Amino acid sequence: MTTTNTTAAPATVRPSVRGSRAVILIAMCLGSMITFLQITATVSALTTIQRDLRIDPTTVIWIPSAYTLVVASMVLSAATLGNRYGRRRMFGAGVIAMIVGSAVVASAPTVAWVIVGQLVAGLGGALILPNSLAILGATFTDPHRRTEVITAWSAASGIGLAIGPLIAGALLRHYQWHSVYLSAIALGVITLVIAAIGVTESRPVAARLDVPGLLLGTVAIAAAVFAMIQGGKDGYTSPVMAVAWMVAAVALVGFVLVELRASAPMLDVRLFRSGSFSAVMVVAAVSLFGFTGVAILLVLFHERAQALSPLDTGWRMLALFGVYAVAAFGAGRLIRRTGFKAPLTAGLVLGALASFGLAAQGPTTPFSQRWPLLALFGAASALVVAPATAAALASVAPTQAGMASGAVNAARQVGSVIGSSLLGTLLTTTMLADLPDRLAAHQVGEPTRTAVQTAVAAGATGDQPLPDPVRSALAEALTAGVQAGLRINGIVFLATAVLALTLIRNRPHEHRGPVS
């Protein structure tokens, strides 16, 4: 795609990346790994955290969502800060923020401190993601080689997703849930050391800070994401949520107007005139909508409906995350042969089929019947998540790598927030609505029935063993919520597959002129 605003970035980009390309790739992949390790480690510990701190189901959604809220809100601005103050510097600051945030959660005595730590870690994720991607885009300028490197970067996120549940499960077997967050601290320290040794500064020459765009963009995304998350608890049309939606709409309009007039915008909104670029943003959002949302649903299903330990759940989720990581490594070479359209469309269709298949299974379904569908969803996600990121950077000139990386990561994280909050809220509301009938079907009488419903709504079921009829009713009600979320994901994936097939440009555009 040809860029339309020649003033959107300086004429040349001269990153002083003189370190080994292999070391640069390793450092950036480790950064990507940390940001996603934080997600699945948190999800794996969620049941234990909720039980220990006695958190109600609607509040517990904020524990993973607080992290993605900040990432989604700040990731576009973080790309601009990297262009202005140095991508390596902002990457390092992000790793430090991730370490500090994880340390706060690791020592948190209450749910409020858990959420505060997640917010700080979210700032770290926002700084890491676009700047690591922009550093890779500036280092590997050949379009095909850059596609392969970006898919490797995306595969690293899959490794983080895969090891998160295993590390969390192993630690939870012997220690309290606080210990789960020590893994992010250790990996963060290793990443800082490697980045200090092998990565030098990278930034466009004379980049200027678009303060109005930065503020308006952050407010627009933050207000919309807050409304998505909190709306599940207060109602999406409540007065507070109506104000949040209005703030988001006004800030978005202001952002577009400011960026159209800015000489050096943080996001050249003219890029969205391309149907292909716009479609890639939608696909990027949907890819994380499904990947994050389905991961949360399946972890909760294994731990609560099938009563598995976090470690046993982690081994089962490896069928999804492990296959994703392996398939993502091969996606780069596949794109080189087929282009973007085929893998994106096929991944969305296969992901929908896997979602519908998983939605047809219940709490008594053996793992031997589940793992092929988990593996299929992991492979399908690899065909969408990694190529969508590569397609976004391939659609702009190298001088706009930071801008494109910020845009695609913002879209991905907004999708992640919507997936975790919308599907998580759907799970909770469906479970609570379905529970009375399930209890009645298992002949649970009063006052036990009312006591169970009240305890579930308050998140205070405790550690005491439950009677078999109550346990079965709870498992079936939760499964109904999981199934509802999986069906919604399948529908969203199918609709997006049509968009990808009809609008996305199939091959990287060969940009001429100065490169980074």
Side-chain angles (χ1 to χ4, degrees), residues 36 71-72 75-76 79 129-130 133-134 150 153-154 267 271-272 277-288 384-396 400-416:
F36 286 89
V71 175
V75 71
L76 192 59
L129 286 170
L133 196 53
I150 291 170
W153 177 88
S154 296
L267 175 63
L271 293 174
F272 289 92
F277 184 82
S278 299
V280 167
M281 294 299 107
V282 174
V283 170
V286 169
S287 68
L288 264 289
V384 180
V385 177
T389 304
L393 266 69
S395 64
V396 302
Q400 294 178 310
M403 184 184 297
S405 67
V408 71
N409 274 300
R412 282 157 51 99
Q413 295 307 319
V414 168
S416 179

Side-chain angles (χ1 to χ4, degrees), residues 171 208 255 478:
L171 290 172
R208 286 179 290 176
F255 175 78
L478 185 135

Side-chain angles (χ1 to χ4, degrees), residues 136-398:
L136 292 178
T139 305
F140 301 89
T141 56
D142 174 73
H144 294 295
R145 178 59 177 153
R146 184 169 56 179
T147 295
E148 293 176 357
V149 166
I150 291 170
T151 53
W153 177 88
S154 296
S157 69
I159 296 174
L161 291 167
I163 65 175
L166 295 177
I167 293 175
L171 290 172
L172 288 170
R173 175 167 287 189
H174 302 287
Y175 307 101
Q176 292 185 321
W177 59 264
H178 305 78
S179 63
V180 168
Y181 294 89
L182 299 179
S183 56
I185 297 174
L187 190 57
V189 172
I190 294 172
T191 304
L192 279 178
V193 172
I194 295 176
I197 294 172
V199 181
T200 53
E201 195 51 272
S202 165
R203 64 181 170 188
V205 176
R208 286 179 290 176
L209 189 62
D210 176 18
V211 176
L214 187 150
L215 294 176
L216 288 169
T218 301
V219 170
I221 297 175
V225 170
F226 172 80
M228 293 173 197
I229 298 172
Q230 193 64 19
K233 180 179 181 179
D234 298 340
Y236 291 102
T237 59
S238 66
V240 174
M241 294 307 100
V243 172
W245 289 119
M246 188 177 301
V247 169
V250 172
L252 178 61
V253 172
F255 175 78
V256 172
L257 294 176
V258 165
E259 297 306 280
L260 285 173
R261 297 177 181 178
S263 59
M266 64 181 291
L267 175 63
D268 186 357
V269 295
R270 296 174 182 84
L271 293 174
F272 289 92
R273 290 177 179 174
S274 164
S276 178
F277 184 82
S278 299
V280 167
M281 294 299 107
V282 174
V283 170
V286 169
S287 68
L288 264 289
F289 169 90
F291 201 42
T292 304
V294 169
I296 290 176
L297 293 178
L298 293 177
V299 167
L300 294 178
F301 171 82
H302 286 122
E303 291 187 359
R304 300 185 183 183
Q306 295 195 321
L308 297 175
S309 70
L311 183 57
D312 289 336
T313 297
W315 283 115
R316 283 161 174 76
M317 292 300 292
L318 192 61
L320 190 161
F321 296 133
V323 170
Y324 167 84
V326 173
F329 273 113
R333 295 189 180 276
L334 178 65
I335 293 169
R336 193 163 187 168
R337 294 184 177 184
T338 67
F340 294 113
K341 190 184 295 286
L344 289 173
T345 304
L348 290 165
V349 172
L350 292 175
L353 294 177
S355 297
F356 291 134
L358 289 167
Q361 298 182 341
T364 59
T365 303
F367 185 65
S368 60
Q369 296 180 24
R370 294 184 62 78
W371 77 260
L373 291 172
L374 293 173
L376 177 61
F377 189 80
S381 297
L383 292 175
V384 180
V385 177
T389 304
L393 266 69
S395 64
V396 302

